[in-house]
Amino acid sequence: MPKSPATTARSKRAGSQLTPDAIIEASLRIAARGSEDAFTVRRLGEELGADPTAIYRHFRDKDELLLSVADRTLGEVLDSIPEGLDWKGRIRALAAGSLEVALRYPVVGSTMASRTTRRPNEFRVVELIIGAVMEAGLQGAEAAVHYRMVGESLLAFVGQRAAHLLFDADIRAADESAWSREYRLVDAQAFPNITHLSTELAEVTDEQIFQVRVEALISAIEKRVETLRGA
Amino acid sequence: MPKSPATTARSKRAGSQLTPDAIIEASLRIAARGSEDAFTVRRLGEELGADPTAIYRHFRDKDELLLSVADRTLGEVLDSIPEGLDWKGRIRALAAGSLEVALRYPVVGSTMASRTTRRPNEFRVVELIIGAVMEAGLQGAEAAVHYRMVGESLLAFVGQRAAHLLFDADIRAADESAWSREYRLVDAQAFPNITHLSTELAEVTDEQIFQVRVEALISAIEKRVETLRGA
DNA sequence: CGTTGTTGTCAACGGTGTTGCGCTGCCTCG
DNA sequence: CGAGGCAGCGCAACACCGTTGACAACAACG
């Protein structure tokens, strides 16, 4: 832990090879390799051309490193959202951007699905979502709980997709083929609905599902606003 | 792997100490201890009073064991759903039951959040959800994609809650106190919405959020039905 | 110029899931 | 009734994981 510079601005040492930023970028490079290359401390040392344990001079543990990496990617998402969108557009852009980086760096999206980073960019996301639900017409406790619904749902969506991408290729293939193979062979007596929809079930794509899930969030907010207005 | 009995019905050996069922039940006992006791193969052997590696005579690997355990708990959920409910009631009961077992056996709920078990009870759940969305008024491809939305959303919800329960107590405490502490101290200029809602944000409970998320699924389906009817 | 503190290296620890080998005791069949 | 075969279990070990403590090099400071 570097002592925080009191008055002198000497914080940058010339001889320091490793910096937090360099480590984060190396982490992203490994994370981008998805399931082909596990994200381990030893791999990270290899990628940096340094001893694996050197990382512990800059991050307390692997968890703190992952939180920092996650905050970096969250920043990328936020910067990709254009100005001037209405509340629905902002939520859709946030969802699409989050999914994009989560699929690019699966290990990050997966481990952060049920965490709170409490880092700068997370506050920006919170501010954005709360602004959206308030613009939609919710206030006070209603706005608060609906923000949490949107935030955690988005996190859960992209985390789920990212986690799926981390499985070995063969497990993933088995999961995907289930819809087109096993669900066609179920007992028609015991499972009439599955039998009836087997063709349509096999044709649903992940992208369709994601879009419907995002639209469900939006329409749930709209419906809540209408209900409160009517009452 | 026991050879499948061709004609003779000798499948049950008297001397076999360990059975798949006994292993599954021991797993559930460990899983119920939550974050106090990690769910490892060695712990499982301890719980069974047997050598840890004996488990591999009954399950190919830990993943297959977890899938079997998950299917068992899924059966409990399904059996707890009463007869005669309308489609909304069935979805609410499924959601509540799933959450209940996921919180009781966090490690199961957490690891299964992005998996497909392809085991008997999973088909029953699929049948149930498809029946619900069709009773709501959706058909064909619309019913298929909305089933997937409901199924994966529920899995994601309970998986998220379960995963949160698996963290060490101190990490969990830090996450929970964030709302009541750190979010009150943000810069009011940069984050006006957070500042404005800080009190309400701290008062939101997990149960409220879960309920709103489930109702969001239902109202999204209703809205979709209305839209299609109107067109 | 010596002292101090930061940063990287190295070896090692305790934990994980998993596998190969050998023993034991039951089941089946001649 | 005896002999084989084999399923089930214990044991030791492997490869990998995150993490820690001791040590060396080196820059910055008084």
Side-chain angles (χ1 to χ4, degrees):
Chain A
M1 285 289 159
K3 182 201 278 180
S4 69
T7 49
T8 62
R10 61 142 173 78
S11 59
K12 287 196 180 174
R13 288 180 48 138
S16 131
Q17 312 250 8
L18 259 45
T19 63
D21 271 350
I23 296 175
I24 289 175
E25 272 149 31
S27 301
L28 287 174
R29 254 175 281 140
I30 298 176
R33 297 208 273 272
S35 64
E36 302 168 14
D37 204 348
F39 180 51
T40 72
V41 177
R42 284 171 173 84
R43 265 281 193 281
L44 186 52
E46 204 174 296
E47 180 77 24
L48 286 162
D51 189 275
T53 63
I55 287 129
Y56 290 90
R57 301 288 169 193
H58 303 272
F59 296 93
R60 186 160 18 86
D61 52 24
K62 197 187 175 187
D63 191 67
E64 198 203 314
L65 168 59
L66 265 169
L67 289 173
S68 300
V69 173
D71 196 65
R72 166 78 73 96
T73 63
L74 209 53
E76 290 181 22
V77 174
L78 284 165
D79 293 337
S80 77
I81 298 177
E83 296 282 329
L85 294 173
D86 68 345
W87 71 273
K88 295 184 190 177
R90 292 204 297 280
I91 286 184
R92 289 192 187 108
L94 177 65
S98 302
L99 179 65
E100 202 257 335
V101 308
L103 297 189
R104 190 145 41 115
Y105 309 116
V107 71
V108 181
S110 162
T111 56
M112 291 302 124
S114 46
R115 291 298 308 275
T116 301
T117 70
R118 268 167 289 127
R119 275 167 170 71
N121 285 323
E122 185 168 86
F123 291 101
R124 293 174 61 197
V125 173
V126 175
E127 183 73 13
L128 186 151
I129 300 179
I130 295 180
V133 299
M134 291 182 76
E135 185 180 312
L138 296 177
Q139 296 169 4
E142 287 285 337
V145 71
H146 280 80
Y147 146 68
R148 290 286 293 272
M149 174 197 78
V150 172
E152 296 186 14
S153 294
L154 286 181
L155 224 46
F157 295 179
V158 304
Q160 208 173 22
R161 288 284 300 274
H164 198 245
L165 224 54
L166 280 183
F167 293 136
D168 314 67
D170 49 352
I171 291 185
R172 208 160 60 240
D175 265 27
E176 284 163 9
S177 71
W179 300 104
S180 51
R181 298 170 61 90
E182 305 185 32
Y183 276 56
R184 287 188 185 279
L185 304 174
V186 298
D187 177 28
Q189 293 263 326
F191 304 106
N193 295 330
I194 295 178
T195 306
H196 183 243
L197 274 189
S198 63
T199 306
E200 288 86 349
L201 283 170
E203 287 169 351
V204 178
T205 67
D206 285 340
E207 281 64 31
Q208 279 181 308
I209 299 169
F210 187 78
Q211 192 172 331
V212 170
R213 287 171 83 169
V214 173
E215 294 305 317
L217 295 180
I218 292 175
S219 71
I221 293 174
E222 279 184 318
K223 190 140 187 162
R224 185 66 185 154
V225 171
E226 287 170 19
T227 303
L228 291 174
R229 285 256 164 75
Chain B
M1 285 289 160
K3 183 200 278 180
S4 68
T7 48
T8 62
R10 61 145 173 76
S11 59
K12 286 196 179 175
R13 285 181 51 138
S16 138
Q17 312 250 8
L18 261 44
T19 64
D21 271 350
I23 296 175
I24 290 175
E25 271 149 30
S27 302
L28 286 174
R29 255 176 282 141
I30 297 175
R33 298 208 273 273
S35 65
E36 302 167 14
D37 204 349
F39 180 52
T40 72
V41 177
R42 284 171 175 81
R43 262 286 192 277
L44 186 50
E46 203 174 297
E47 180 77 23
L48 287 163
D51 189 274
T53 64
I55 288 129
Y56 290 89
R57 302 289 157 187
H58 303 271
F59 296 93
R60 187 160 18 86
D61 51 25
K62 197 186 173 186
D63 190 67
E64 198 203 315
L65 168 60
L66 266 169
L67 289 173
S68 300
V69 173
D71 196 65
R72 166 78 72 97
T73 64
L74 209 53
E76 290 182 21
V77 174
L78 284 165
D79 293 337
S80 77
I81 297 177
E83 297 282 329
L85 294 173
D86 67 346
W87 71 273
K88 295 183 190 179
R90 291 204 298 278
I91 286 183
R92 290 192 186 106
L94 177 65
S98 303
L99 179 65
E100 202 256 336
V101 309
L103 297 187
R104 191 143 42 113
Y105 311 115
V107 70
V108 180
S110 161
T111 56
M112 291 303 123
S114 44
R115 292 299 307 276
T116 301
T117 69
R118 268 167 287 127
R119 274 167 171 71
N121 285 322
E122 186 169 85
F123 292 101
R124 293 175 61 196
V125 174
V126 175
E127 182 73 12
L128 187 153
I129 300 179
I130 295 180
V133 299
M134 291 182 75
E135 184 180 315
L138 296 177
Q139 296 168 4
E142 286 286 337
V145 71
H146 279 79
Y147 146 68
R148 290 286 293 270
M149 175 197 80
V150 172
E152 296 186 13
S153 294
L154 286 181
L155 223 47
F157 295 179
V158 304
Q160 208 174 23
R161 288 282 301 274
H164 199 244
L165 222 55
L166 281 181
F167 294 136
D168 314 69
D170 50 352
I171 291 185
R172 207 160 61 238
D175 265 27
E176 284 164 8
S177 71
W179 300 104
S180 52
R181 298 169 61 89
E182 305 184 31
Y183 277 54
R184 287 188 186 280
L185 304 173
V186 298
D187 177 27
Q189 292 264 326
F191 304 105
N193 295 331
I194 294 178
T195 306
H196 183 244
L197 274 188
S198 63
T199 305
E200 289 86 350
L201 283 170
E203 287 170 351
V204 178
T205 67
D206 285 339
E207 281 64 31
Q208 280 181 306
I209 299 169
F210 187 79
Q211 193 172 331
V212 171
R213 287 171 82 168
V214 174
E215 294 305 317
L217 295 181
I218 292 174
S219 71
I221 294 173
E222 280 184 317
K223 191 141 188 162
R224 186 65 186 154
V225 171
E226 287 170 17
T227 304
L228 292 174
R229 286 258 163 74

